[in-house]
Coordinates of all heavy atoms in Angstrom, one line a residue:
M272 N 138.0 33.8 147.4 CA 136.8 33.3 148.0 C 135.6 34.0 147.4 O 134.6 33.3 147.2 CB 136.9 33.6 149.5 CG 135.8 33.0 150.3 SD 135.7 31.3 150.2 CE 134.2 30.9 151.0
K273 N 135.7 35.3 147.1 CA 134.6 36.0 146.6 C 134.2 35.5 145.2 O 133.1 35.5 144.8 CB 134.8 37.5 146.6 CG 134.9 38.1 147.9 CD 135.1 39.6 147.8 CE 135.1 40.3 149.2 NZ 135.4 41.7 149.1
K274 N 135.3 35.2 144.4 CA 135.0 34.7 143.0 C 134.3 33.4 143.1 O 133.4 33.1 142.3 CB 136.4 34.6 142.3 CG 137.0 35.9 141.9 CD 138.3 35.7 141.2 CE 138.9 37.0 140.8 NZ 140.2 36.8 140.1
I275 N 134.7 32.5 144.0 CA 134.1 31.2 144.0 C 132.6 31.3 144.5 O 131.7 30.7 143.9 CB 134.8 30.3 145.0 CG1 136.2 30.0 144.5 CG2 134.1 29.0 145.3 CD1 137.1 29.2 145.4
L276 N 132.4 32.2 145.4 CA 131.0 32.5 145.9 C 130.2 33.1 144.7 O 129.0 32.7 144.5 CB 131.0 33.4 147.1 CG 129.6 33.7 147.7 CD1 129.0 32.5 148.2 CD2 129.8 34.8 148.7
A277 N 130.7 34.0 144.0 CA 130.0 34.6 142.8 C 129.7 33.5 141.8 O 128.6 33.5 141.2 CB 130.8 35.7 142.2
I278 N 130.6 32.6 141.5 CA 130.4 31.6 140.5 C 129.3 30.6 141.0 O 128.4 30.2 140.2 CB 131.7 30.8 140.2 CG1 132.7 31.7 139.5 CG2 131.4 29.5 139.5 CD1 134.1 31.1 139.3
I279 N 129.3 30.3 142.3 CA 128.3 29.4 142.8 C 126.9 30.0 142.8 O 125.9 29.4 142.4 CB 128.7 28.9 144.3 CG1 129.9 28.0 144.2 CG2 127.5 28.2 144.9 CD1 130.5 27.7 145.6
L280 N 126.9 31.3 143.1 CA 125.6 32.0 143.1 C 125.0 32.1 141.7 O 123.8 32.0 141.5 CB 125.7 33.3 143.8 CG 125.9 33.3 145.3 CD1 126.1 34.7 145.8 CD2 124.7 32.6 145.9
T281 N 125.9 32.4 140.7 CA 125.4 32.5 139.3 C 124.9 31.1 138.8 O 124.1 31.1 137.9 CB 126.4 33.1 138.4 OG1 127.7 32.4 138.5 CG2 126.7 34.6 138.7
L282 N 125.5 30.1 139.3 CA 125.0 28.8 138.8 C 123.6 28.4 139.3 O 122.9 27.7 138.7 CB 126.0 27.7 139.3 CG 127.4 27.7 138.6 CD1 128.3 26.6 139.2 CD2 127.2 27.5 137.1
F283 N 123.3 29.0 140.4 CA 122.0 28.7 141.0 C 120.9 29.7 140.7 O 119.8 29.6 141.3 CB 122.1 28.5 142.5 CG 122.9 27.2 142.9 CD1 124.1 27.3 143.4 CD2 122.4 26.0 142.6 CE1 124.9 26.2 143.7 CE2 123.1 24.8 142.9 CZ 124.3 24.9 143.5
I284 N 121.1 30.6 139.8 CA 120.1 31.6 139.5 C 119.1 31.0 138.6 O 119.4 30.3 137.6 CB 120.7 32.8 138.8 CG1 121.6 33.6 139.8 CG2 119.6 33.7 138.2 CD1 122.2 34.8 139.2
V285 N 117.8 31.1 138.9 CA 116.7 30.5 138.2 C 116.3 31.6 137.1 O 116.1 32.8 137.5 CB 115.6 30.2 139.1 CG1 114.4 29.6 138.3 CG2 116.0 29.2 140.2
P286 N 116.2 31.2 135.8 CA 115.8 32.2 134.8 C 114.5 33.0 135.1 O 114.4 34.1 134.7 CB 115.7 31.4 133.5 CG 116.5 30.2 133.8 CD 116.4 29.9 135.3
E287 N 113.6 32.4 135.8 CA 112.3 33.0 136.0 C 112.5 34.2 137.0 O 111.7 35.1 137.0 CB 111.3 32.0 136.6 CG 110.8 31.0 135.6 CD 111.7 29.9 135.3 OE1 112.7 29.7 136.1 OE2 111.5 29.2 134.3
V288 N 113.5 34.1 137.8 CA 113.7 35.2 138.8 C 114.1 36.5 138.1 O 113.8 37.6 138.6 CB 114.8 34.8 139.8 CG1 115.3 35.9 140.7 CG2 114.4 33.6 140.6
L289 N 114.8 36.4 136.9 CA 115.3 37.6 136.2 C 114.1 38.3 135.5 O 114.3 39.5 135.2 CB 116.3 37.2 135.2 CG 117.6 36.5 135.7 CD1 118.5 36.0 134.6 CD2 118.3 37.5 136.7
A290 N 113.0 37.7 135.4 CA 111.8 38.3 134.7 C 112.2 38.8 133.3 O 111.9 40.0 132.9 CB 111.2 39.4 135.6
L291 N 112.9 38.0 132.6 CA 113.4 38.4 131.3 C 112.4 38.0 130.2 O 112.1 36.8 130.1 CB 114.8 37.8 131.0 CG 115.5 38.1 129.8 CD1 115.8 39.6 129.7 CD2 116.7 37.3 129.6
D292 N 111.9 38.9 129.4 CA 110.9 38.6 128.4 C 111.6 39.0 127.1 O 111.7 40.2 126.8 CB 109.6 39.4 128.6 CG 108.6 38.9 127.7 OD1 108.7 37.9 127.0 OD2 107.5 39.6 127.6
M293 N 111.9 38.0 126.2 CA 112.7 38.3 125.0 C 111.7 38.2 123.8 O 112.2 38.2 122.7 CB 113.8 37.3 124.8 CG 114.9 37.4 125.9 SD 115.8 38.9 125.8 CE 116.8 38.5 124.4
E294 N 110.4 38.2 124.0 CA 109.5 38.1 122.9 C 109.1 39.5 122.4 O 109.1 40.4 123.2 CB 108.3 37.3 123.3 CG 108.6 35.9 123.6 CD 107.3 35.1 123.9 OE1 106.2 35.6 123.7 OE2 107.5 34.0 124.5
Y295 N 108.9 39.6 121.1 CA 108.5 40.9 120.5 C 107.1 40.8 120.1 O 106.8 39.9 119.3 CB 109.5 41.3 119.4 CG 109.1 42.5 118.7 CD1 109.3 43.8 119.3 CD2 108.4 42.5 117.4 CE1 108.9 44.9 118.6 CE2 108.0 43.7 116.8 CZ 108.3 44.9 117.4 OH 107.9 46.0 116.8
Y296 N 106.3 41.7 120.5 CA 104.9 41.8 120.2 C 104.6 43.0 119.3 O 104.8 44.1 119.7 CB 104.0 41.8 121.4 CG 104.1 40.6 122.3 CD1 104.8 40.6 123.4 CD2 103.5 39.4 121.9 CE1 104.9 39.5 124.2 CE2 103.6 38.3 122.7 CZ 104.3 38.3 123.8 OH 104.5 37.2 124.6
A297 N 104.1 42.7 118.1 CA 103.7 43.8 117.2 C 102.2 44.0 117.4 O 101.5 43.0 117.6 CB 104.0 43.5 115.7
P298 N 101.6 45.2 117.3 CA 100.2 45.4 117.5 C 99.3 44.5 116.6 O 98.3 44.0 117.0 CB 100.0 46.9 117.2 CG 101.3 47.5 117.4 CD 102.3 46.4 117.1
N299 N 99.7 44.4 115.3 CA 98.9 43.6 114.4 C 99.6 42.4 114.0 O 99.3 41.8 113.0 CB 98.5 44.4 113.2 CG 97.5 45.5 113.5 OD1 96.7 45.4 114.4 ND2 97.6 46.7 112.8
G300 N 100.6 42.0 114.7 CA 101.3 40.8 114.4 C 102.4 41.0 113.3 O 102.9 42.1 113.2
L301 N 102.8 40.0 112.6 CA 103.9 40.0 111.7 C 103.7 40.9 110.5 O 104.6 41.5 110.0 CB 104.2 38.6 111.2 CG 105.4 38.4 110.3 CD1 106.7 38.8 111.1 CD2 105.5 37.0 109.9
P302 N 102.5 41.1 110.0 CA 102.3 42.0 108.8 C 102.9 43.4 109.0 O 103.4 44.0 108.1 CB 100.8 42.0 108.5 CG 100.4 40.7 109.1 CD 101.2 40.4 110.3
T303 N 102.8 43.9 110.3 CA 103.3 45.2 110.5 C 104.8 45.3 110.4 O 105.3 46.2 109.8 CB 102.9 45.6 112.0 OG1 101.5 45.5 112.2 CG2 103.3 47.0 112.3
V304 N 105.5 44.3 110.9 CA 106.9 44.3 110.8 C 107.3 44.0 109.3 O 108.3 44.7 108.8 CB 107.5 43.2 111.7 CG1 109.0 43.1 111.5 CG2 107.1 43.4 113.1
A305 N 106.6 43.2 108.6 CA 107.0 42.9 107.2 C 106.7 44.1 106.4 O 107.5 44.4 105.4 CB 106.1 41.7 106.7
E306 N 105.7 44.9 106.6 CA 105.4 46.1 105.9 C 106.5 47.2 106.1 O 106.9 47.9 105.2 CB 104.1 46.7 106.3 CG 103.7 47.9 105.5 CD 102.3 48.5 106.0 OE1 101.5 47.7 106.5 OE2 102.1 49.7 105.7
A307 N 107.1 47.2 107.3 CA 108.2 48.2 107.6 C 109.4 47.8 106.8 O 110.1 48.7 106.2 CB 108.5 48.1 109.1
F308 N 109.7 46.5 106.7 CA 110.9 46.1 105.9 C 110.6 46.3 104.4 O 111.5 46.7 103.7 CB 111.2 44.6 106.2 CG 112.0 44.4 107.4 CD1 111.4 43.8 108.5 CD2 113.3 44.9 107.5 CE1 112.2 43.6 109.7 CE2 114.0 44.7 108.7 CZ 113.5 44.1 109.8
Q309 N 109.4 46.2 104.0 CA 109.1 46.4 102.6 C 109.3 47.9 102.2 O 109.8 48.3 101.2 CB 107.6 46.0 102.2 CG 107.5 44.5 102.1 CD 106.0 44.1 101.9 OE1 105.1 44.9 102.1 NE2 105.8 42.8 101.6
R310 N 108.9 48.8 103.2 CA 109.0 50.2 103.0 C 110.5 50.6 102.9 O 110.9 51.4 102.1 CB 108.3 51.0 104.0 CG 106.8 51.0 103.9 CD 106.1 51.8 104.9 NE 104.7 51.8 104.7 CZ 103.9 52.6 105.3 NH1 104.3 53.5 106.1 NH2 102.6 52.4 105.1
M311 N 111.3 50.0 103.8 CA 112.7 50.2 103.8 C 113.4 49.8 102.5 O 114.2 50.5 101.9 CB 113.4 49.5 105.0 CG 113.2 50.2 106.3 SD 114.0 49.3 107.7 CE 115.5 48.8 107.1
A312 N 112.9 48.6 102.0 CA 113.4 48.1 100.7 C 113.1 49.1 99.6 O 113.9 49.3 98.7 CB 112.9 46.7 100.4
L313 N 111.8 49.6 99.6 CA 111.4 50.6 98.6 C 112.3 51.8 98.6 O 112.7 52.4 97.6 CB 110.0 50.9 98.7 CG 109.0 49.8 98.3 CD1 107.6 50.2 98.6 CD2 109.1 49.6 96.8
I314 N 112.6 52.3 99.8 CA 113.4 53.5 99.9 C 114.8 53.3 99.4 O 115.3 54.1 98.6 CB 113.4 54.0 101.4 CG1 112.1 54.5 101.8 CG2 114.5 55.0 101.6 CD1 111.9 54.8 103.3
F315 N 115.4 52.1 99.8 CA 116.7 51.9 99.3 C 116.8 51.5 97.9 O 117.9 51.6 97.3 CB 117.4 50.8 100.2 CG 117.9 51.2 101.5 CD1 117.2 51.2 102.6 CD2 119.2 51.8 101.5 CE1 117.7 51.7 103.8 CE2 119.7 52.2 102.7 CZ 119.0 52.2 103.9
S316 N 115.8 51.0 97.3 CA 115.8 50.7 95.8 C 115.6 51.9 94.9 O 115.7 51.8 93.7 CB 114.8 49.6 95.5 OG 113.5 50.1 95.7
D317 N 115.2 53.0 95.5 CA 114.9 54.2 94.7 C 116.3 54.8 94.2 O 117.2 54.9 94.9 CB 114.2 55.3 95.6 CG 113.7 56.5 94.7 OD1 113.8 56.4 93.5 OD2 113.3 57.4 95.3
G318 N 116.3 55.2 92.9 CA 117.5 55.6 92.3 C 118.0 57.0 92.8 O 119.1 57.3 92.7
D319 N 117.1 57.8 93.3 CA 117.4 59.1 93.9 C 118.4 59.0 95.1 O 119.1 59.9 95.3 CB 116.2 59.9 94.2 CG 115.4 60.3 93.0 OD1 115.9 60.3 91.9 OD2 114.2 60.5 93.2
Y320 N 118.3 57.9 95.8 CA 119.1 57.8 97.0 C 120.5 57.1 96.7 O 121.3 56.9 97.6 CB 118.4 56.9 98.0 CG 117.2 57.6 98.6 CD1 115.9 57.4 98.2 CD2 117.4 58.6 99.6 CE1 114.8 58.0 98.7 CE2 116.3 59.2 100.2 CZ 115.0 59.0 99.7 OH 113.9 59.6 100.2
F321 N 120.7 56.7 95.4 CA 121.9 56.0 95.1 C 123.2 56.8 95.4 O 124.2 56.2 95.7 CB 121.8 55.5 93.7 CG 122.9 54.5 93.3 CD1 122.8 53.2 93.8 CD2 124.0 54.8 92.6 CE1 123.8 52.3 93.6 CE2 125.0 53.9 92.3 CZ 124.9 52.6 92.8
S322 N 123.1 58.1 95.1 CA 124.3 58.9 95.3 C 124.7 59.0 96.8 O 125.8 59.3 97.2 CB 124.1 60.3 94.7 OG 123.0 60.9 95.3
A323 N 123.7 58.8 97.7 CA 124.0 58.9 99.1 C 124.7 57.7 99.7 O 125.3 57.8 100.7 CB 122.6 59.1 99.9
Y324 N 124.6 56.6 99.0 CA 125.3 55.4 99.4 C 126.8 55.6 99.6 O 127.4 55.2 100.6 CB 125.1 54.2 98.5 CG 123.6 53.8 98.4 CD1 123.1 53.3 97.2 CD2 122.8 53.8 99.5 CE1 121.8 52.9 97.1 CE2 121.5 53.4 99.4 CZ 121.0 52.9 98.2 OH 119.7 52.6 98.2
G325 N 127.4 56.2 98.6 CA 128.9 56.5 98.7 C 129.2 57.4 99.8 O 130.2 57.2 100.5
I326 N 128.4 58.4 100.1 CA 128.6 59.3 101.2 C 128.5 58.5 102.6 O 129.3 58.7 103.4 CB 127.6 60.5 101.2 CG1 127.9 61.3 100.0 CG2 127.7 61.3 102.5 CD1 126.8 62.3 99.7
F327 N 127.5 57.7 102.7 CA 127.3 56.9 103.9 C 128.5 55.9 104.1 O 129.0 55.8 105.2 CB 126.0 56.1 103.9 CG 124.8 56.9 104.0 CD1 123.7 56.6 103.3 CD2 124.8 58.1 104.8 CE1 122.5 57.4 103.4 CE2 123.7 58.8 104.9 CZ 122.5 58.5 104.2
V328 N 129.0 55.3 103.0 CA 130.1 54.4 103.1 C 131.4 55.2 103.5 O 132.1 54.7 104.4 CB 130.3 53.7 101.8 CG1 131.6 52.9 101.8 CG2 129.2 52.7 101.5
M329 N 131.6 56.3 103.0 CA 132.8 57.1 103.3 C 132.8 57.6 104.8 O 133.8 57.5 105.5 CB 133.0 58.3 102.3 CG 133.3 57.8 100.9 SD 134.7 56.8 100.8 CE 136.0 57.9 101.2
V330 N 131.6 58.1 105.2 CA 131.5 58.5 106.6 C 131.7 57.4 107.5 O 132.3 57.5 108.6 CB 130.1 59.2 106.8 CG1 129.9 59.5 108.3 CG2 130.1 60.5 106.0
G331 N 131.1 56.2 107.2 CA 131.2 55.0 108.1 C 132.7 54.6 108.2 O 133.2 54.2 109.2
M332 N 133.4 54.6 107.0 CA 134.8 54.2 107.1 C 135.6 55.2 107.8 O 136.5 54.8 108.6 CB 135.3 54.0 105.6 CG 134.8 52.7 105.0 SD 135.4 52.5 103.3 CE 137.1 52.1 103.7
F333 N 135.3 56.5 107.7 CA 136.1 57.5 108.4 C 135.9 57.3 109.9 O 136.8 57.4 110.7 CB 135.6 58.9 108.0 CG 136.2 60.0 108.8 CD1 137.5 60.3 108.7 CD2 135.4 60.6 109.8 CE1 138.1 61.3 109.5 CE2 136.0 61.6 110.6 CZ 137.3 62.0 110.4
L334 N 134.6 57.1 110.3 CA 134.4 56.9 111.8 C 135.0 55.6 112.3 O 135.5 55.6 113.4 CB 132.8 56.9 112.0 CG 132.1 58.2 111.8 CD1 130.6 58.0 112.0 CD2 132.7 59.3 112.7
A335 N 135.0 54.6 111.5 CA 135.6 53.3 111.9 C 137.2 53.5 112.1 O 137.8 53.0 113.1 CB 135.3 52.2 111.0
I336 N 137.8 54.2 111.1 CA 139.2 54.4 111.2 C 139.6 55.3 112.3 O 140.5 55.1 113.1 CB 139.7 54.9 109.8 CG1 139.6 53.8 108.8 CG2 141.2 55.4 109.9 CD1 139.9 54.2 107.4
A337 N 138.7 56.4 112.5 CA 139.0 57.3 113.6 C 138.8 56.6 115.0 O 139.6 56.8 115.9 CB 138.0 58.5 113.6
N338 N 137.9 55.7 115.1 CA 137.7 54.9 116.3 C 138.9 54.0 116.5 O 139.4 53.9 117.7 CB 136.5 54.0 116.2 CG 136.2 53.2 117.5 OD1 136.5 53.7 118.5 ND2 135.7 52.1 117.3
N339 N 139.5 53.5 115.5 CA 140.6 52.6 115.6 C 141.9 53.3 116.0 O 142.7 52.9 116.9 CB 140.9 51.8 114.4 CG 141.9 50.7 114.5 OD1 142.0 50.1 115.5 ND2 142.8 50.6 113.5
Y340 N 142.2 54.4 115.4 CA 143.4 55.1 115.6 C 143.4 56.3 116.6 O 144.5 56.7 117.0 CB 143.9 55.6 114.2 CG 144.3 54.5 113.3 CD1 143.6 54.2 112.2 CD2 145.5 53.8 113.6 CE1 144.0 53.2 111.3 CE2 145.8 52.8 112.7 CZ 145.1 52.5 111.6 OH 145.5 51.5 110.8
V341 N 142.2 56.7 116.9 CA 142.2 57.9 117.9 C 141.6 57.5 119.2 O 142.1 57.7 120.3 CB 141.4 59.1 117.2 CG1 141.3 60.2 118.2 CG2 142.1 59.5 116.0
V342 N 140.4 57.0 119.2 CA 139.6 56.7 120.4 C 140.2 55.6 121.2 O 140.4 55.7 122.4 CB 138.1 56.5 120.1 CG1 137.3 56.2 121.3 CG2 137.5 57.7 119.4
K343 N 140.4 54.4 120.6 CA 140.9 53.3 121.3 C 142.2 53.5 121.9 O 142.4 53.2 123.1 CB 140.9 52.0 120.4 CG 139.5 51.4 120.2 CD 139.6 50.2 119.4 CE 138.2 49.6 119.2 NZ 138.3 48.4 118.4
P344 N 143.3 54.0 121.2 CA 144.6 54.2 121.9 C 144.5 55.3 123.0 O 145.2 55.1 124.0 CB 145.5 54.7 120.8 CG 144.9 54.1 119.5 CD 143.4 54.2 119.8
S345 N 143.7 56.3 122.8 CA 143.6 57.3 123.9 C 142.9 56.8 125.1 O 143.1 57.3 126.2 CB 142.9 58.6 123.3 OG 141.6 58.3 123.1
S346 N 142.0 55.8 125.0 CA 141.3 55.3 126.1 C 142.0 54.1 126.7 O 141.6 53.5 127.7 CB 139.9 54.9 125.8 OG 139.9 53.9 124.9
G347 N 143.2 53.7 126.1 CA 143.9 52.6 126.7 C 143.5 51.2 126.1 O 144.0 50.2 126.5
G348 N 142.5 51.2 125.2 CA 142.1 50.0 124.6 C 143.0 49.4 123.6 O 143.7 50.2 122.9
A349 N 143.1 48.1 123.5 CA 144.0 47.5 122.5 C 143.3 47.6 121.1 O 142.1 47.4 121.0 CB 144.3 46.1 122.9
S350 N 144.1 47.8 120.1 CA 143.5 47.9 118.8 C 144.6 47.4 117.8 O 145.8 47.5 118.0 CB 143.1 49.3 118.4 OG 144.2 50.1 118.3
S351 N 144.1 46.7 116.7 CA 145.0 46.3 115.7 C 144.9 47.2 114.5 O 143.9 48.0 114.4 CB 144.7 44.8 115.3 OG 143.5 44.8 114.6
N352 N 145.7 47.0 113.5 CA 145.7 47.9 112.3 C 144.5 47.6 111.5 O 144.1 48.4 110.6 CB 147.0 47.7 111.5 CG 148.1 48.4 112.3 OD1 148.0 49.2 113.1 ND2 149.3 47.9 112.0
Y353 N 143.9 46.4 111.6 CA 142.8 46.0 110.7 C 141.5 45.9 111.4 O 140.5 45.3 110.8 CB 143.2 44.6 110.0 CG 144.4 44.7 109.2 CD1 145.6 44.1 109.6 CD2 144.4 45.5 108.0 CE1 146.7 44.2 108.9 CE2 145.6 45.6 107.3 CZ 146.7 44.9 107.7 OH 147.9 45.0 106.9
S354 N 141.4 46.4 112.6 CA 140.1 46.3 113.3 C 139.0 47.2 112.8 O 137.9 47.1 113.1 CB 140.3 46.5 114.8 OG 140.7 47.8 115.1
W355 N 139.4 48.2 112.0 CA 138.4 49.1 111.4 C 137.7 48.5 110.3 O 136.6 49.0 109.9 CB 139.2 50.4 110.9 CG 140.1 50.1 109.8 CD1 141.4 49.8 109.9 CD2 139.9 50.1 108.4 NE1 142.0 49.6 108.7 CE2 141.1 49.7 107.7 CE3 138.7 50.3 107.6 CZ2 141.1 49.6 106.3 CZ3 138.8 50.2 106.2 CH2 140.0 49.8 105.6
I356 N 138.1 47.4 109.7 CA 137.5 46.8 108.5 C 136.2 46.1 108.9 O 135.3 46.0 108.0 CB 138.5 45.9 107.8 CG1 138.0 45.5 106.4 CG2 138.7 44.6 108.5 CD1 138.3 46.6 105.4
T357 N 136.1 45.6 110.1 CA 134.8 44.9 110.5 C 133.6 45.7 110.4 O 132.6 45.3 109.8 CB 135.0 44.3 111.9 OG1 136.2 43.5 111.9 CG2 133.8 43.4 112.3
P358 N 133.5 46.9 111.0 CA 132.3 47.7 110.8 C 132.1 48.1 109.4 O 130.9 48.2 108.9 CB 132.5 49.0 111.7 CG 133.7 48.7 112.5 CD 134.5 47.6 111.9
A359 N 133.2 48.3 108.6 CA 133.0 48.7 107.2 C 132.4 47.5 106.4 O 131.5 47.7 105.6 CB 134.3 49.1 106.6
I360 N 132.8 46.3 106.7 CA 132.2 45.1 106.0 C 130.8 44.9 106.4 O 129.9 44.7 105.5 CB 133.1 43.9 106.3 CG1 134.4 44.0 105.6 CG2 132.3 42.6 105.8 CD1 135.4 42.9 105.9
I361 N 130.5 45.1 107.7 CA 129.1 44.9 108.1 C 128.2 46.0 107.5 O 127.1 45.7 107.0 CB 129.0 44.9 109.6 CG1 129.7 43.7 110.2 CG2 127.6 45.0 110.1 CD1 129.9 43.8 111.7
G362 N 128.6 47.2 107.4 CA 127.9 48.3 106.8 C 127.6 48.0 105.3 O 126.6 48.3 104.8
T363 N 128.7 47.5 104.6 CA 128.6 47.3 103.2 C 127.6 46.1 103.0 O 126.7 46.2 102.0 CB 129.9 46.9 102.6 OG1 130.9 47.9 102.9 CG2 129.9 46.7 101.1
I364 N 127.6 45.1 103.8 CA 126.7 44.0 103.6 C 125.2 44.5 103.8 O 124.3 44.1 103.1 CB 127.0 42.9 104.6 CG1 128.3 42.2 104.2 CG2 125.9 41.9 104.7 CD1 128.8 41.2 105.2
L365 N 125.0 45.3 104.9 CA 123.7 45.9 105.1 C 123.2 46.7 104.0 O 122.0 46.6 103.5 CB 123.7 46.7 106.4 CG 123.7 45.9 107.7 CD1 123.9 46.8 108.9 CD2 122.5 45.0 107.8
V366 N 124.1 47.6 103.4 CA 123.6 48.5 102.3 C 123.3 47.7 101.1 O 122.3 47.9 100.5 CB 124.7 49.5 102.0 CG1 124.5 50.2 100.7 CG2 124.8 50.6 103.1
F367 N 124.2 46.7 100.7 CA 123.9 46.0 99.5 C 122.8 45.0 99.7 O 122.1 44.5 98.8 CB 125.1 45.2 99.0 CG 126.1 46.2 98.4 CD1 127.4 46.3 98.9 CD2 125.7 47.0 97.3 CE1 128.3 47.2 98.3 CE2 126.6 47.8 96.7 CZ 127.9 48.0 97.2
G368 N 122.5 44.6 101.0 CA 121.3 43.7 101.2 C 120.0 44.5 101.1 O 119.0 43.9 100.8
L369 N 120.0 45.8 101.3 CA 118.8 46.6 101.2 C 118.6 47.2 99.8 O 117.5 47.8 99.6 CB 118.8 47.7 102.3 CG 118.7 47.2 103.7 CD1 118.9 48.3 104.7 CD2 117.4 46.5 104.0
I370 N 119.6 47.1 98.9 CA 119.4 47.7 97.6 C 118.5 46.8 96.8 O 118.6 45.6 96.7 CB 120.7 47.9 96.9 CG1 121.5 49.0 97.6 CG2 120.5 48.3 95.4 CD1 122.9 49.2 97.0

């Protein structure tokens, strides 16, 4: 009965009641955000930082594997042998996207 009541109540929630504002306002508009991404691209394209990429990738993979084989089983969470690869792939895509 409680589940049915909860489902009925969530169906009748009006979005305005939640006062949810998902818009992002920058002080000077879009140029501020674009400049921040340009600065990040300049930092990542510098050759002096290239040796740090391998270190970041190795630390990220170590943390993902440790999460899969140590943290999840000890907390009772289900894990597969290949669930560590998803954060590694996302991190690799982000790094190569910013180079």
Side-chain angles (χ1 to χ4, degrees):
M272 182 66 184
K273 290 182 181 180
K274 289 182 182 179
I275 295 173
L276 182 62
I278 291 172
I279 291 173
L280 289 176
T281 54
L282 289 176
F283 291 111
I284 290 179
V285 181
E287 288 81 14
V288 173
L289 299 175
L291 184 63
D292 189 15
M293 297 290 286
E294 295 181 15
Y295 175 74
Y296 296 103
N299 292 328
L301 185 62
T303 306
V304 177
E306 184 180 337
F308 280 111
Q309 286 175 348
R310 288 184 181 192
M311 283 178 41
L313 286 173
I314 290 171
F315 277 95
S316 66
D317 190 8
D319 293 337
Y320 291 99
F321 191 73
S322 61
Y324 296 146
I326 296 169
F327 290 143
V328 169
M329 294 303 292
V330 168
M332 288 182 70
F333 173 75
L334 291 175
I336 292 170
N338 183 34
N339 185 41
Y340 290 110
V341 177
V342 175
K343 283 186 181 177
S345 67
S346 65
S350 65
S351 70
N352 291 335
Y353 299 109
S354 65
W355 62 270
I356 196 77
T357 305
I360 289 175
I361 291 171
T363 305
I364 289 171
L365 288 174
V366 165
F367 286 122
L369 290 172
I370 292 180

